Protein backbone atom coordinates (compact mmCIF):
# COMPACT_ATOMS: atom_id res chain seq x y z
CA UNK A 1 0.00 0.00 0.00
CA UNK A 2 1.06 3.63 -0.37
CA UNK A 3 1.67 5.58 2.79
CA UNK A 4 2.42 9.19 3.50
CA UNK A 5 5.85 10.43 4.41
CA UNK A 6 7.67 13.66 4.85
CA UNK A 7 9.78 16.46 3.37
CA UNK A 8 12.67 15.45 5.64
CA UNK A 9 15.54 13.74 3.74
CA UNK A 10 15.72 11.09 6.46
CA UNK A 11 13.22 8.79 8.13
CA UNK A 12 13.51 6.53 11.17
CA UNK A 13 11.78 3.17 11.49
CA UNK A 14 11.53 2.39 15.21
CA UNK A 15 10.51 -0.76 17.03
CA UNK A 16 10.45 -0.91 20.85
CA UNK A 17 10.24 -4.46 22.18
CA UNK A 18 10.94 -6.17 25.52
CA UNK A 19 14.20 -7.37 23.97
CA UNK A 20 15.32 -3.85 23.11
CA UNK A 21 15.09 -0.82 20.83
CA UNK A 22 15.60 -1.48 17.11
CA UNK A 23 15.94 1.37 14.63
CA UNK A 24 16.58 1.70 10.91
CA UNK A 25 17.70 5.08 9.63
CA UNK A 26 16.63 5.62 6.04
CA UNK A 27 17.64 8.26 3.53
CA UNK A 28 15.77 9.39 0.43
CA UNK A 29 17.09 7.80 -2.76
CA UNK A 30 14.97 9.14 -5.59
CA UNK A 31 11.37 8.31 -4.71
CA UNK A 32 12.39 5.47 -2.44
CA UNK A 33 14.72 4.99 0.53
CA UNK A 34 18.09 3.41 1.13
CA UNK A 35 19.39 2.11 4.48
CA UNK A 36 21.69 4.67 6.06
CA UNK A 37 22.28 2.94 9.41
CA UNK A 38 20.88 0.33 11.81
CA UNK A 39 20.93 0.69 15.59
CA UNK A 40 19.95 -1.41 18.58
CA UNK A 41 19.93 -1.04 22.34
CA UNK A 42 19.02 -3.49 25.11
CA UNK A 43 16.32 -2.34 27.52
CA UNK A 44 16.01 -2.96 31.26
CA UNK A 45 13.68 -5.91 31.84
CA UNK A 46 11.43 -3.91 34.18
CA UNK A 47 10.24 -1.58 31.40
CA UNK A 48 7.85 -4.24 30.08
CA UNK A 49 5.38 -6.46 31.92
CA UNK A 50 3.73 -9.25 29.94
CA UNK A 51 4.57 -7.56 26.66
CA UNK A 52 3.13 -4.16 27.65
CA UNK A 53 5.15 -1.05 28.53
CA UNK A 54 4.96 -0.70 32.31
CA UNK A 55 7.67 1.81 33.32
CA UNK A 56 7.25 4.79 30.99
CA UNK A 57 9.81 6.94 32.85
CA UNK A 58 12.53 4.34 32.47
CA UNK A 59 11.63 3.91 28.79
CA UNK A 60 11.91 7.66 28.30
CA UNK A 61 15.35 7.70 29.90
CA UNK A 62 16.57 4.79 27.76
CA UNK A 63 15.17 6.32 24.59
CA UNK A 64 16.72 9.68 25.36
CA UNK A 65 20.16 8.06 25.67
CA UNK A 66 19.54 6.21 22.40
CA UNK A 67 18.45 9.34 20.52
CA UNK A 68 21.38 11.41 21.76
CA UNK A 69 23.93 8.66 21.10
CA UNK A 70 22.91 8.33 17.46
CA UNK A 71 21.93 11.96 16.84
CA UNK A 72 18.33 11.16 15.95
CA UNK A 73 16.77 14.38 17.28
CA UNK A 74 13.76 15.66 15.31
CA UNK A 75 13.72 12.77 12.85
CA UNK A 76 10.26 11.76 11.57
CA UNK A 77 9.40 8.29 12.85
CA UNK A 78 7.31 5.33 11.78
CA UNK A 79 6.71 3.12 14.82
CA UNK A 80 5.81 -0.51 14.98
CA UNK A 81 3.00 -1.49 17.36
CA UNK A 82 2.91 -5.03 18.70
CA UNK A 83 -0.04 -6.95 17.31
CA UNK A 84 -1.06 -8.35 20.72
CA UNK A 85 -1.98 -4.78 21.71
CA UNK A 86 -4.49 -4.52 18.89
CA UNK A 87 -8.08 -5.71 18.52
CA UNK A 88 -8.93 -6.82 15.00
CA UNK A 89 -12.22 -7.54 13.23
CA UNK A 90 -12.81 -8.57 9.61
CA UNK A 91 -15.78 -7.15 7.70
CA UNK A 92 -17.16 -7.94 4.25
CA UNK A 93 -19.09 -4.98 2.88
CA UNK A 94 -20.90 -4.01 -0.32
CA UNK A 95 -18.53 -2.68 -2.95
CA UNK A 96 -20.58 0.46 -3.59
CA UNK A 97 -20.18 1.82 -0.03
CA UNK A 98 -18.51 5.22 0.32
CA UNK A 99 -15.91 6.28 2.87
CA UNK A 100 -18.46 7.65 5.35
CA UNK A 101 -20.49 4.43 5.21
CA UNK A 102 -17.39 2.29 5.73
CA UNK A 103 -16.36 4.41 8.70
CA UNK A 104 -19.82 3.99 10.23
CA UNK A 105 -19.64 0.20 9.85
CA UNK A 106 -16.23 0.17 11.52
CA UNK A 107 -17.41 2.47 14.31
CA UNK A 108 -20.32 0.12 14.99
CA UNK A 109 -17.80 -2.67 15.67
CA UNK A 110 -15.78 -0.67 18.22
CA UNK A 111 -18.12 1.58 20.20
CA UNK A 112 -15.77 2.70 22.99
CA UNK A 113 -14.48 6.25 23.35
CA UNK A 114 -11.33 4.83 24.95
CA UNK A 115 -10.22 3.28 21.65
CA UNK A 116 -8.46 4.59 18.58
CA UNK A 117 -9.92 2.94 15.49
CA UNK A 118 -8.54 2.49 12.01
CA UNK A 119 -9.26 0.26 9.03
CA UNK A 120 -7.76 -1.11 5.83
CA UNK A 121 -9.76 -1.86 2.67
CA UNK A 122 -9.04 -4.58 0.10
CA UNK A 123 -11.23 -4.34 -3.01
CA UNK A 124 -12.50 -7.66 -4.35
CA UNK A 125 -14.63 -8.25 -7.46
CA UNK A 126 -17.99 -8.11 -5.71
CA UNK A 127 -17.30 -6.73 -2.22
CA UNK A 128 -14.93 -4.90 0.09
CA UNK A 129 -12.84 -6.80 2.60
CA UNK A 130 -12.33 -4.40 5.51
CA UNK A 131 -9.91 -5.06 8.36
CA UNK A 132 -10.96 -2.95 11.34
CA UNK A 133 -8.45 -2.47 14.17
CA UNK A 134 -8.52 -0.69 17.50
CA UNK A 135 -6.00 0.07 20.25
CA UNK A 136 -6.30 1.68 23.64
CA UNK A 137 -6.16 5.44 23.14
CA UNK A 138 -4.35 6.06 26.43
CA UNK A 139 -1.55 3.65 25.51
CA UNK A 140 -0.93 5.29 22.12
CA UNK A 141 -1.09 8.76 23.66
CA UNK A 142 1.48 7.76 26.26
CA UNK A 143 3.74 6.24 23.62
CA UNK A 144 3.57 9.33 21.41
CA UNK A 145 4.17 11.59 24.43
CA UNK A 146 7.36 9.71 25.31
CA UNK A 147 8.60 9.96 21.73
CA UNK A 148 7.87 13.69 21.67
CA UNK A 149 9.70 14.14 24.98
CA UNK A 150 12.88 12.66 23.49
CA UNK A 151 12.41 14.83 20.37
CA UNK A 152 11.24 12.20 17.92
CA UNK A 153 8.35 13.11 15.60
CA UNK A 154 5.92 10.21 15.33
CA UNK A 155 4.23 10.34 11.92
CA UNK A 156 2.77 6.87 11.43
CA UNK A 157 1.99 3.89 13.64
CA UNK A 158 2.46 0.62 11.80
CA UNK A 159 0.68 -2.64 12.54
CA UNK A 160 1.74 -5.77 10.70
CA UNK A 161 3.25 -3.65 7.88
CA UNK A 162 0.09 -1.57 7.42
CA UNK A 163 0.39 2.18 8.02
CA UNK A 164 -2.38 3.27 10.36
CA UNK A 165 -2.45 7.03 9.90
CA UNK A 166 -5.96 7.84 11.10
CA UNK A 167 -5.01 6.83 14.64
CA UNK A 168 -2.57 9.72 14.89
CA UNK A 169 -4.83 12.14 13.05
CA UNK A 170 -7.52 11.47 15.64
CA UNK A 171 -5.09 12.59 18.36
CA UNK A 172 -4.89 15.97 16.56
CA UNK A 173 -1.11 15.92 16.48
CA UNK A 174 0.44 18.83 14.55
CA UNK A 175 3.10 16.51 13.09
CA UNK A 176 0.47 14.23 11.60
CA UNK A 177 -0.80 17.01 9.38
CA UNK A 178 2.47 17.97 7.66
CA UNK A 179 2.96 14.96 5.39
CA UNK A 180 3.16 14.41 1.62
CA UNK A 181 2.49 11.45 -0.69
CA UNK A 182 5.37 9.34 -1.99
CA UNK A 183 5.36 5.88 -3.55
CA UNK A 184 6.89 3.89 -0.70
CA UNK A 185 5.06 1.16 1.18
CA UNK A 186 5.17 0.48 4.90
CA UNK A 187 5.95 -3.13 4.05
CA UNK A 188 9.10 -1.98 2.26
CA UNK A 189 10.23 0.03 5.25
CA UNK A 190 9.71 -2.59 7.91
CA UNK A 191 11.27 -5.27 5.74
CA UNK A 192 14.54 -3.56 6.60
CA UNK A 193 14.14 -4.75 10.17
CA UNK A 194 14.37 -8.35 9.01
CA UNK A 195 16.59 -8.32 5.91
CA UNK A 196 18.81 -5.24 5.76
CA UNK A 197 20.28 -5.17 9.26
CA UNK A 198 22.52 -7.74 10.89
CA UNK A 199 21.21 -7.16 14.41
CA UNK A 200 23.44 -9.78 16.06
CA UNK A 201 26.58 -8.02 14.87
CA UNK A 202 25.55 -4.57 16.14
CA UNK A 203 27.20 -3.34 19.30
CA UNK A 204 24.71 -2.54 22.05
CA UNK A 205 24.85 1.08 23.23
Amino acid sequence: MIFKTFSSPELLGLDVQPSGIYAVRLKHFGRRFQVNACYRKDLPAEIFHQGVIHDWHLLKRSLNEFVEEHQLVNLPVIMGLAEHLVMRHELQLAKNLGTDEIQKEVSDVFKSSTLLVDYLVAIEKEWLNVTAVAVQKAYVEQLVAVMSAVKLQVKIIDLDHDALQRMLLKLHLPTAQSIENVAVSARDLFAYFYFACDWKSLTNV
Side-chain angles (χ1 to χ4, degrees), residues 91-153:
L91 297 170
Q92 193 172 86
L93 303 176
K95 192 174 181 179
N96 61 352
L97 290 185
T99 301
D100 291 343
E101 294 166 306
I102 294 173
Q103 290 179 348
K104 182 180 183 305
E105 293 286 344
V106 171
S107 297
D108 287 343
V109 174
F110 303 112
K111 294 184 178 181
S112 174
S113 61
T114 65
L115 298 176
L116 286 174
V117 178
D118 206 342
Y119 64 90
L120 302 160
V121 178
I123 302 175
E124 302 293 342
K125 289 184 177 181
E126 299 179 357
W127 57 79
L128 301 176
N129 285 332
V130 178
T131 300
V133 295
V135 297
Q136 291 295 329
K137 182 179 179 181
Y139 192 87
V140 174
E141 287 178 328
Q142 186 70 59
L143 187 61
V144 172
V146 168
M147 296 300 150
S148 297
V150 300
K151 299 181 180 178
L152 290 176
Q153 303 177 38

Side-chain angles (χ1 to χ4, degrees), residues 170-181:
K170 287 177 183 176
L171 294 180
H172 305 293
L173 295 176
T175 56
Q177 309 292 335
S178 57
I179 44 186
E180 301 172 356
N181 285 319

Side-chain angles (χ1 to χ4, degrees), residues 14-77:
L14 187 66
D15 200 8
V16 180
Q17 303 178 15
S19 58
I21 302 169
Y22 300 85
V24 178
R25 190 170 189 162
L26 303 177
K27 187 174 182 179
H28 273 294
F29 184 72
R31 288 178 60 84
R32 302 188 73 80
F33 289 101
Q34 65 181 9
V35 175
N36 201 22
C38 299
Y39 312 113
R40 66 172 289 271
K41 176 183 176 66
D42 291 341
L43 287 175
E46 57 267 32
I47 287 180
F48 281 83
H49 178 67
Q50 296 182 347
V52 177
I53 298 171
H54 175 71
D55 192 330
W56 292 97
H57 294 291
L58 187 53
L59 174 63
K60 178 182 172 182
R61 189 190 316 161
S62 297
L63 273 169
N64 192 58
E65 294 171 357
F66 186 75
V67 169
E68 290 184 354
E69 174 73 21
H70 298 296
Q71 299 179 354
L72 306 175
V73 171
N74 292 328
L75 281 184
V77 171

